Structures are given as structure tokens and as C-alpha cells.
Amino acid sequence: MTEETMNWYYANSGKQIGPVSFDEIAALVRKGSVKPDTKVWSGQGEWQAAENTALSSLFAQQQADSNTPPPLAGTDVDNKYIWGVVAVPIIGCLIEIMVGTELIWLYILANIAFCSLDERKLKAAGHESPTSWMIFVVPVYLWKRASLLKQKKYYFWGWIAAFILSIGISVGANEVVVTDTACAIVTDIIREQYYSDEQCKAVTINEEVRTGFYTATAILDTGEKIFITIEEVGADEISVVIPEQ
């Protein structure tokens, strides 16, 4: 028996549908219910993508009838907007540092903008873009896109690296703000409680004992070093204590 005379099965939403005749499954191909990547079984061997079976000629005929060119190869698709998505964590982090506040909405809007522009590029190249909700889960969108276009996943790993780097930059910037603020407070404490003209020149964090609580060393303009503790008590407020030395 040939594949054309055997009963067929096809996969749909995780279920095996069949048996159906070759004419019936051919009709499903023409309707679009069975696509080139739909897994089918013709009664022998393993399940295969429909385009790799006797149904392949039907898809070729559909292509010829529609007079629509096949999608561009992944190497010919413009990736400039997707690299914009990769840059969002770093750019967003730097803008947050400049304005001094968190801007979650900035990341969301930037990702939506770049992914929407990228979707247009994909459609213009003849490809269906990943599901729209994936815009809100950026690494999933990048992975699916690379798989769809059969591209190396460079931009997926680039985004992962950029995301980790942005966290490091944010932590470092926050530490600078904490130490600079703490140094100014140390100077005020020395003047108000010890009636001295000494000034704090720098503060170095020794250890983060727990989240938002640090032990540190303040260096005075005389070269003297004093032990202090720093605690973040609010979004933009810290408390500094100078224990007995």
C-alpha cells in the first residue's frame, strides 16, 4: 500500500485525530487545518511533519496557486529592532540612575515598541511573528523568534548578559549613593555631637550584614578611620550610627 491509499492520523492540540483517508487529509491541507509542520502518521514509520510526507506536493501546489513567495531565510531578515530589545535593560538602567528613580513603565513601553516594530519586519519578510503576549516575557519572545527563523540565539544570550549587567550597574550605583549620603551624615554627626571641624572624605562599605544594613568605614580629612553602621530606612533615606570607637 502507498501512503495515498493508507489511512492517516494527524496531531491537533496534543491529540491524535483519525483515521482519515488521503482525500480527507488532503482536504484538511487545502482548508489550512493541516499545516506543513503538523505531525502526521500514514500507517507506518514514525510521526513526521506533513511537509515531509506524500502531502508535500499539496503544500507546493498551494504555494503555486497563491502566487505568494516563500518567507525570506533567517539570514535575510532585518534584526535591528531585536537588538534594540537587547539594549533596553542597559539603557533603562542608565536612565534610572540619571533620574534617581525606578522606571518600570519605561522598560515595558520600550519592549512593546521594539517588539511591535520587529513583528512588522517579520511579517514583511513573510514570517508569522511569535505570539503577541510574549512581548511581556522578553526572553521567551527572543528564543521563539530565533527558533522560528532558524537563527543562532545570539540576541537571546545577549539579552541575558545585558539583564545581568544592568543588575550589577544598579547595585553599584545604589552603593555609591548610599556611601556618598552616609559620608555627608557622618560630617554632620561629628560637628553636632563632637563639636569638631573634621569632615568625612569617603565611606567604604565593609559588609552588607543583611538587606539594607551595612557595616562601613568612614575616612576623615585628617586620615582617621572610624567604624560606622548604615541602614536604609526608606526609598531615599538612610540612618548612620557611629558606635563607640
Side-chain angles (χ1 to χ4, degrees), residues 89-103 106-107 165-177 236:
I90 300 296
I91 296 173
C93 172
L94 295 176
I95 292 175
E96 284 184 337
I97 291 171
M98 287 189 289
V99 301
T101 186
E102 290 187 0
L103 300 171
L106 176 65
Y107 293 94
L165 181 59
S166 70
I167 293 175
I169 293 173
S170 294
V171 170
N174 180 67
E175 188 171 297
V176 170
V177 171
D236 300 305

Side-chain angles (χ1 to χ4, degrees), residues 17-18 118 123 150 199 240:
I17 310 296
D118 184 62
K123 289 178 181 177
K150 296 181 174 60
Q199 296 183 29
V240 175

Side-chain angles (χ1 to χ4, degrees), residues 42-238:
S42 60
Q44 58 186 5
E46 300 292 332
W47 286 78
Q48 301 182 68
E51 63 185 348
N52 296 328
T53 68
L55 301 174
S56 61
S57 60
L58 298 175
F59 296 115
Q61 186 59 48
Q62 273 189 330
Q63 189 72 44
D65 293 343
S66 65
N67 199 29
T68 300
L72 293 176
T75 53
D76 297 321
V77 175
D78 189 343
N79 290 332
K80 65 182 178 183
Y81 292 123
I82 215 64
W83 284 109
V85 174
V86 173
V88 165
I90 300 296
I91 296 173
C93 172
L94 295 176
I95 292 175
E96 284 184 337
I97 291 171
M98 287 189 289
V99 301
T101 186
E102 290 187 0
L103 300 171
I104 299 299
W105 58 268
L106 176 65
Y107 293 94
I108 295 174
L109 291 178
N111 285 329
I112 290 175
F114 278 120
C115 288
S116 296
L117 290 169
D118 184 62
E119 284 183 342
R120 293 183 183 180
K121 284 289 184 183
L122 291 179
K123 289 178 181 177
H127 292 277
E128 289 188 19
S129 62
T131 310
S132 294
W133 65 263
M134 292 180 185
I135 291 174
F136 297 98
V137 190
V138 174
V140 176
Y141 181 88
L142 298 178
W143 184 276
K144 290 287 187 182
R145 183 188 189 278
S147 299
L148 172 71
L149 299 177
K150 296 181 174 60
Q151 294 178 337
K152 299 288 186 180
K153 297 180 172 61
Y154 295 133
Y155 42 78
F156 169 81
W157 295 113
W159 185 90
I160 295 295
F163 180 74
I164 294 172
L165 181 59
S166 70
I167 293 175
I169 293 173
S170 294
V171 170
N174 180 67
E175 188 171 297
V176 170
V177 171
V178 168
T179 54
D180 286 352
T181 305
C183 195
I185 294 175
V186 168
T187 296
D188 290 340
I189 293 174
I190 291 174
R191 290 177 175 176
E192 294 173 6
Q193 296 185 14
Y194 298 97
Y195 307 105
S196 171
D197 291 331
E198 294 177 311
Q199 296 183 29
C200 175
K201 301 301 289 183
V203 168
T204 302
I205 290 177
N206 301 326
E207 180 185 5
E208 185 172 9
V209 179
R210 62 176 185 274
T211 303
F213 185 85
Y214 313 87
T215 59
T217 300
I219 304 172
L220 306 184
D221 55 358
T222 60
E224 181 184 358
K225 297 180 179 180
I226 59 176
F227 174 77
I228 65 173
T229 62
I230 306 170
E231 183 174 10
E232 297 180 54
V233 294
D236 300 305
E237 185 178 353
I238 66 170

